[in-house]
Amino acid sequence: MTKIKVNGALLAYNEVGSGSPVLLLHAGIADRRMWREQVDALVTRHRVITLDLRGYGESELPATAFAHHDDVAGLLDALNLDSAALIGCSFGGAVAIDTALAHPDRVSALALLGAAVSGHDWSEQTNDLWETLVGDLDPEDFAATAAGEVRFWVVGPEREPADVDPQLIAFATAMDERALAAELALSAVDVAELDPPAIGRLGELRMPVLTGAGAADVPDIRKLADRIAAEAPRATRLPDIPDAAHLLPLERPTPVNTALLDFLPH
């Protein structure tokens, strides 16, 4: 692990390999460890960088205003990279899209796995599913909140916890407890959003885009993958990956890695 100063914050990252650069951006319920199944596959062809976004994992959170998408561009500056392919899952996918819109010359390609999109309003169906599966939680009870979020996102609404590898559930829960502490701290900092948000600007994504989701993920996420594919001019929709929910790179690494290697520029 290395730390580097980016826009006034020390950000933690790992870097291995050589070749065309690829930067992986983690889900909001995780940190850079979620990419452990992708690094060895991608390093055969790429310079692979896994980042803890500001406040998450081992990255710092100074009490100053910032934007995640500007941090991504700042990391590329700090590493003397003109551009990189961005791979993002969930919230990391939203950050990747925002970076591609705010700094289009810095992003050579986008691979979006279960990606959120800034400005998207969750549907009533998704809100109802949350109430049914999780209900009200005390945001300061990290253990209970992590258990609820893992039930909703990692297991998914169409499966039962017994259907999912218990080691995956344990790892995801540990990452999420740490991420919840990060989100509580981030709530006290001025985090700038992309303005206007990405949801109405997907047609501006001119680089190659791969978008996909787990077949067991919440319906809104699968619909967002459809929308990205329909509106981004150079987008390809990966078929939903069977028996995978929101952390599909961890849960089903083989089809994810195959798709990424087929898509990413050499």
Side-chain angles (χ1 to χ4, degrees):
M1 185 271 292
T2 304
K3 288 191 176 185
I4 194 167
K5 184 65 71 71
V6 174
N7 298 333
L10 279 173
L11 301 186
Y13 71 99
N14 289 92
E15 179 179 359
V16 291
S18 60
S20 60
V22 177
L23 174 59
L24 296 95
L25 302 171
H26 60 80
I29 60 172
D31 53 53
R32 73 184 193 279
R33 292 175 294 168
M34 71 160 284
W35 299 111
R36 64 187 187 184
E37 301 291 343
Q38 280 63 59
V39 173
D40 286 347
L42 296 178
V43 77
T44 59
R45 299 182 188 172
H46 298 281
R47 179 179 175 183
V48 182
I49 304 154
T50 55
L51 172 69
D52 279 338
L53 291 164
R54 188 185 301 214
Y56 290 89
E58 296 176 282
S59 288
E60 290 186 344
L61 183 64
T64 54
F66 77 101
H68 287 296
H69 52 271
D70 290 337
D71 276 358
V72 173
L75 178 66
L76 298 181
D77 289 338
L79 297 177
N80 296 311
L81 291 172
D82 292 332
S83 64
L86 304 185
I87 302 173
C89 179
S90 184
F91 172 65
V95 173
I97 295 169
D98 286 355
T99 304
L101 292 170
H103 308 280
D105 58 324
R106 311 305 301 276
V107 180
S108 60
L110 279 175
L112 305 169
L113 303 166
V117 179
S118 63
H120 169 71
D121 293 322
W122 295 108
S123 69
E124 185 175 340
Q125 178 189 18
T126 293
N127 292 331
D128 289 345
L129 281 171
W130 177 272
E131 287 302 317
T132 299
L133 292 173
V134 181
D136 292 331
L137 294 169
D138 177 357
E140 296 187 4
D141 186 341
F142 294 157
T145 302
E149 290 191 343
V150 167
R151 172 65 185 91
F152 188 76
W153 292 111
V154 180
V155 176
E158 299 170 9
R159 301 189 296 184
E160 296 297 326
D163 299 330
V164 181
D165 182 351
Q167 291 184 330
L168 172 65
I169 290 178
F171 182 45
T173 301
M175 284 196 295
D176 194 24
E177 287 189 24
R178 190 169 186 174
L180 287 164
E183 290 174 355
L184 183 62
L186 282 159
S187 68
V189 176
D190 183 7
V191 184
E193 305 290 342
L194 186 71
D195 185 22
I199 194 64
R201 302 173 59 188
L202 297 172
E204 298 175 32
L205 297 172
R206 300 298 177 182
M207 65 289 296
V209 176
L210 179 71
T211 182
D217 208 338
V218 300
D220 271 28
I221 292 294
R222 303 199 303 272
K223 290 175 183 176
L224 280 173
D226 291 339
R227 181 165 176 178
I228 293 165
E231 296 184 19
R234 301 174 64 190
T236 299
R237 175 66 157 93
L238 185 70
D240 285 347
I241 294 179
D243 198 24
H246 205 49
L247 295 185
L248 63 162
L250 264 174
E251 190 169 13
R252 295 289 174 257
T254 299
V256 168
N257 294 345
T258 298
L260 290 174
L261 288 169
D262 286 345
F263 168 73
L264 290 169
H266 289 213

